[in-house]
Amino acid sequence: MAIATQRFNIDDYLAYDDGTDTVYELVNGELIPMTLGKGQHGEITDFLNQCFRDEIKRLGREWVTKQMVIGIQSPRGDRWDTVRIPDVVVSPFAQWRELQNREAVIRLNESPPLLVVEVVSESTKVVDYRAKRSEYSVLDIPEYWIVDPLVEKITILTLAEGWYDALEFTGNDTLQSLTFPEFTQTVEEILNGDI
């Protein structure tokens, strides 16, 4: 006997409240609880978010960077909705202002964010490297960073003709970003949370 799983569309997902503080991604219509990462995961996302803030201010851009508060509706291949919540999202300030008056989910018919970051953990490595790479490229997100403390590597994916070109960085390599062309942090600094 098969057990039926309740499926949600995006409107059901945005209205869902189970009375807990659990944060869920919506994947193919199913609620997937986001697990609490190791301390290093939080340190990396916090460090990158601060680095991006500093760089946005230095460059005088009308952008914001937010840590785990913006969802992105994803175009999966079937009839059920998916909403991802990246670890860090950089978007135009005008887009963030619009999201303040409703659920903070960038919909399929809206402009994509400028950059998203996922920090890999044991439970997310396949999804971060495969599923999200495909989904974010279809959404035309110009830059996607995969920060992988498990193998001490950062992959920066840059959109070119509908697919991502990847550059991998390790150790004392300084990252090369189109969004932040003067970014000076190394992989070691990011993985250690050093400013």
Side-chain angles (χ1 to χ4, degrees), residues 16-86:
Y16 182 75
D17 181 0
D18 64 0
T20 71
D21 291 333
T22 305
V23 176
Y24 296 93
E25 281 189 330
L26 182 66
V27 180
N28 201 21
E30 293 183 38
L31 295 175
I32 307 295
M34 294 182 68
T35 59
L36 188 60
K38 292 182 180 179
Q40 182 186 28
H41 186 280
E43 191 66 28
I44 291 168
T45 56
D46 189 50
F47 178 75
L48 276 174
N49 201 39
Q50 186 60 52
C51 288
F52 292 160
R53 278 192 180 131
D54 293 345
E55 196 64 5
I56 289 167
K57 183 176 180 179
R58 190 183 71 74
L59 294 171
R61 300 280 194 251
E62 292 289 321
W63 300 344
V64 296
T65 177
K66 297 296 177 184
Q67 185 176 332
M68 295 187 67
V69 297
I70 297 177
I72 301 171
Q73 185 179 9
S74 178
R76 301 225 1 150
D78 53 35
R79 65 187 187 108
W80 296 105
D81 290 322
T82 293
V83 175
R84 301 293 188 180
I85 303 173

Side-chain angles (χ1 to χ4, degrees), residues 118-185:
E118 296 289 1
V119 178
V120 176
S121 63
E122 277 297 332
S123 63
T124 67
K125 61 185 172 185
V126 172
V127 172
D128 290 341
Y129 277 102
R130 296 184 60 79
K132 290 181 182 179
R133 179 178 181 158
S134 174
E135 291 170 29
Y136 293 161
S137 70
V138 170
L139 290 168
D140 291 330
I141 297 173
E143 195 165 311
Y144 170 33
W145 292 21
I146 304 172
V147 179
D148 193 339
L150 304 175
V151 295
E152 299 182 355
K153 171 179 77 173
I154 297 176
T155 305
I156 295 184
L157 301 132
T158 306
L159 196 63
E161 298 179 14
W163 190 243
Y164 283 124
D165 291 331
L167 288 175
E168 293 183 352
F169 303 91
T170 59
N172 285 319
D173 293 343
T174 300
L175 301 182
Q176 297 173 22
S177 166
L178 291 180
T179 306
F180 296 108
E182 298 173 30
F183 198 77
T184 61
Q185 275 66 42

Side-chain angles (χ1 to χ4, degrees), residues 2 24 37 89 94-95 98 107 115 117 141 148 177 190:
Y24 296 93
V89 174
Q95 185 174 48
E98 286 179 24
R107 300 285 189 120
L115 182 149
V117 176
I141 297 173
D148 193 339
S177 166
I190 292 168

